[in-house]
Amino acid sequence: MVEKLRTKGIDSKLVTDALNEVPRHLFLETMLDYMAYEDKALPISCGQTISQPSTVAFQSQLLAAEPKMKVLEVGTGSGYQTAVLCAMGLSVYTIERQKELYDESTKRLKELGYKAKCFLGDGYAGLPEFGPFDRVLVTCGAPKIPEALLRQLKKGGVMVIPVGSEHQEMLHIVKQGDDIGDISVQKFGDCKFVPMLEKLNY
Ligand code: SAH
């Protein structure tokens, strides 16, 4: 799988090593695990999806993170992307709004030995008490850039986020100054994610 990712421009060793290490089949229902190493998005609980490996790799590479950095992930889902970030040596905080997914992924990550800090909450609010973060990675499609997440990003920090309603564009945002208006934005093509929704779902 990782060889195929290289042909798609994924050349960060930190990222390819992490994808090689994390057993994606353990993040899927047994019925689907035979497809785990194909480059496909697959269904998980609550009508959500585990992103396709090339998307996980692409977002992880865009983060341009270095080991030990503090990263906030919005949309824990299955916990696969969370595990990849942990395998990259990052200090990972992850937030999920669906209770069922939060319970499943928290248990799974713990059992597999990934030391992510998992939270049940609304990613629009982020985790102000644990910020600021070096990096923010959003794994659901946001209608616009959430201000709270920009506020919780360190100066010089990077946010990778798909923005748009039906379809999204992958944005790479650098917070240039202390002000949340002081950002530079680069676009990295169209993509399709499940929507970023407000409030919790029990
Ligand atoms: N990173 C996940 C991708 C899951 S799909 C993985 O590797 O499996 C995106 C996830 O974002 C879904 O689980 C969805 O419930 C969650 N989500 C949507 N809106 C959210 C919000 N406001 N706060 C937190 N999580 C949210």
Side-chain angles (χ1 to χ4, degrees), residues 24 27 42 44-51 56 59 73-83 94-98 101-102 108 119-126 137-141 193-201:
R24 189 170 183 254
F27 292 80
L42 294 166
I44 54 173
S45 308
C46 307
Q48 304 302 307
T49 52
I50 180 172
S51 304
V56 171
Q59 285 199 293
E73 178 196 20
V74 174
T76 319
S78 67
Y80 176 66
Q81 170 78 74
T82 319
T94 184
I95 183 164
E96 171 58 55
R97 66 179 283 279
Q98 304 257 18
L101 282 170
Y102 162 79
R108 181 180 289 133
F119 298 84
L120 176 65
D122 181 359
Y124 277 103
L137 174 58
V138 180
T139 68
C140 37
F193 282 76
V194 295
M196 182 167 176
L197 303 171
E198 285 185 74
K199 305 208 178 74
L200 296 187
N201 189 16

Side-chain angles (χ1 to χ4, degrees), residues 146-168:
E147 282 193 8
L149 297 184
L150 278 179
R151 243 177 267 122
Q152 289 161 40
L153 193 59
K154 281 186 194 168
K155 181 175 166 183
V158 173
M159 184 187 316
V160 174
I161 178 170
V163 175
S165 22
E166 280 285 297
H167 280 81
Q168 299 93 29

Side-chain angles (χ1 to χ4, degrees), residues 7-140:
T7 65
K8 295 188 174 181
I10 307 298
D11 51 13
S12 155
K13 187 162 158 32
L14 194 64
V15 173
T16 51
D17 283 355
L19 266 100
N20 255 334
E21 183 188 312
V22 180
R24 189 170 183 254
H25 65 281
L26 299 181
F27 292 80
L28 291 165
E29 291 185 20
T30 338
M31 236 167 61
L32 292 172
D33 67 3
Y34 72 100
M35 291 202 281
Y37 299 97
E38 288 174 31
D39 195 17
K40 285 197 175 117
L42 294 166
I44 54 173
S45 308
C46 307
Q48 304 302 307
T49 52
I50 180 172
S51 304
Q52 65 189 93
S54 56
T55 304
V56 171
F58 184 54
Q59 285 199 293
S60 303
Q61 179 160 292
L62 273 183
L63 271 185
E66 285 158 26
K68 303 233 160 56
M69 279 186 168
K70 199 158 112 180
V71 57
L72 171 65
E73 178 196 20
V74 174
T76 319
S78 67
Y80 176 66
Q81 170 78 74
T82 319
V84 168
L85 295 172
C86 289
M88 288 166 67
L90 307 177
S91 166
V92 187
Y93 294 73
T94 184
I95 183 164
E96 171 58 55
R97 66 179 283 279
Q98 304 257 18
K99 170 97 167 71
E100 192 180 330
L101 282 170
Y102 162 79
D103 287 340
E104 278 175 20
S105 55
T106 303
K107 182 167 171 274
R108 181 180 289 133
L109 288 163
K110 196 165 175 230
E111 279 170 4
L112 295 174
Y114 294 106
K115 293 194 172 57
K117 293 143 206 91
C118 301
F119 298 84
L120 176 65
D122 181 359
Y124 277 103
L127 292 171
E129 59 281 43
F130 295 95
F133 298 94
D134 298 291
R135 301 287 184 264
V136 174
L137 174 58
V138 180
T139 68
C140 37

